Amino acid sequence: MGQVRLDKLLADAGYGTRSQVRQLVRKKHVTINGEPAKGPEQKIDVDKDQIFCEGKPVFYAAYEYYMLNKPAGVVSAVTDNRDKTVVELIEDRQRRDLFPVGRLDKDTEGLLLITNDGILANRLLTPGRHVEKTYYAEVDGPVTQMDIKLFAEGLDIGEERRTLPAVLIVEESGNACSKVQLTITEGKFHQVKRMFQAVGRRVTFLKRLTMGSLTLDEALAPGEYRKLTEGEILALKKQGLST
């Protein structure tokens, strides 16, 4: 992984701002391989050196990847003045530069990738790559074969271009409520809700199940999260390169 400045390493690991961690170093609260750190600019070999801050080991992670089952009522943001954010739910994060990859509406639940890997995020979110995202939705009223055909052809949701073809699967259709799965390859603002609105339906519940190769872990309750496995990270990176 190479060498990193000590003040950057500590700041990235959440020990404070650059100026705050410099004070920790100057006050001899940081040791490198058992010796007091020489200065905030000291270069650290993150693969070999053992760093302690105030007697506790410092673990440096260049990148972190978390799968979150987003609950309703939480906003897809890093900071917010009114509501709790998805990043705040990741309590054991080591990095302070995490962000959600894409957005889910405040009332939408389900799969959200939280990371600080900007290159991967850009690859997954770039419109031209058409990364598939599957949602489970409950809508008022019946969903018909005609609706399936219209979704497959693309819908007018009030923008310059129609939506790209989408795959609509009806799990249960009823006069009062229908349960469906919808796979889209775009990420327009409120897209799923606007697509159903275009055919005269209102979404009453929405949950994202997949994003590219990543599938929501059914063991995660709303608000729970886990780190991605090495296999999941590798598959996402391959997805970003191949799409």
Side-chain angles (χ1 to χ4, degrees):
M1 193 176 293
Q3 294 189 332
V4 181
R5 276 181 58 120
L6 177 59
D7 53 358
K8 173 175 170 51
L9 184 151
L10 292 171
D12 287 345
Y15 285 87
T17 64
R18 287 285 188 101
S19 60
Q20 289 171 332
V21 299
R22 285 167 187 157
Q23 287 297 319
L24 290 172
V25 173
R26 293 189 180 103
K27 292 178 180 179
K28 307 298 183 183
H29 292 317
V30 181
T31 62
I32 313 297
N33 301 323
E35 299 293 333
K38 298 175 182 179
E41 72 286 347
Q42 183 175 348
K43 292 295 181 67
I44 304 300
D45 187 328
V46 296
D47 295 318
K48 297 179 180 179
D49 292 331
Q50 294 183 328
I51 307 102
F52 281 75
C53 183
E54 298 182 321
K56 297 179 180 179
V58 176
F59 299 102
Y60 181 76
Y63 295 106
E64 289 189 290
Y65 306 85
Y66 293 93
M67 175 192 298
L68 170 69
N69 185 355
K70 178 191 172 298
V74 179
V75 296
S76 299
V78 175
T79 60
D80 191 89
N81 293 329
R82 294 185 303 173
D83 298 303
K84 193 163 189 175
T85 72
V86 292
V87 172
E88 292 177 284
L89 295 176
I90 314 298
E91 295 179 348
D92 58 353
R93 62 188 185 274
Q94 296 180 38
R95 302 284 308 201
R96 61 183 180 88
D97 54 354
L98 298 181
F99 58 87
V101 178
R103 290 179 176 271
L104 293 178
D105 295 342
K106 184 177 177 180
D107 61 348
T108 300
E109 300 183 8
L111 175 66
L112 196 59
L113 172 62
I114 310 290
T115 186
N116 63 318
D117 189 339
I119 294 176
L120 175 62
N122 182 65
R123 288 173 177 166
L124 293 174
L125 296 176
T126 298
R129 293 185 182 273
H130 305 310
V131 174
E132 291 188 349
K133 295 170 281 288
T134 300
Y135 295 81
Y136 166 80
E138 295 177 3
V139 301
D140 60 356
V143 176
T144 67
Q145 289 297 316
M146 178 56 70
D147 294 327
I148 294 174
K149 182 174 182 293
L150 291 171
F151 273 70
E153 293 174 348
L155 293 165
D156 180 358
I157 59 173
E159 299 197 357
E160 184 178 347
R161 296 181 179 178
R162 288 176 172 267
T163 61
L164 292 175
V167 178
L168 178 61
I169 298 175
V170 181
E171 295 183 354
E172 182 180 319
S173 182
N175 291 329
C177 176
S178 295
K179 299 177 180 180
V180 303
Q181 285 194 26
L182 176 65
T183 299
I184 61 176
T185 57
E186 302 170 282
K188 298 180 184 295
F189 184 67
H190 294 322
Q191 180 168 344
V192 174
K193 295 175 181 177
R194 292 163 67 193
M195 290 178 77
F196 279 104
Q197 186 178 27
V199 295
R201 300 289 179 267
R202 181 176 64 90
V203 174
T204 58
F205 177 78
L206 187 61
K207 178 178 182 179
R208 184 157 69 189
L209 304 177
T210 72
M211 181 180 185
S213 61
L214 194 62
T215 299
L216 180 64
D217 189 332
E218 294 181 356
L220 295 176
E224 292 184 341
Y225 63 91
R226 66 165 172 80
K227 289 185 176 181
L228 263 58
T229 66
E230 290 298 323
E232 288 170 334
I233 295 170
L234 181 60
L236 275 178
K237 290 183 176 180
K238 286 183 177 179
Q239 171 98 36
L241 288 172
S242 61
T243 53

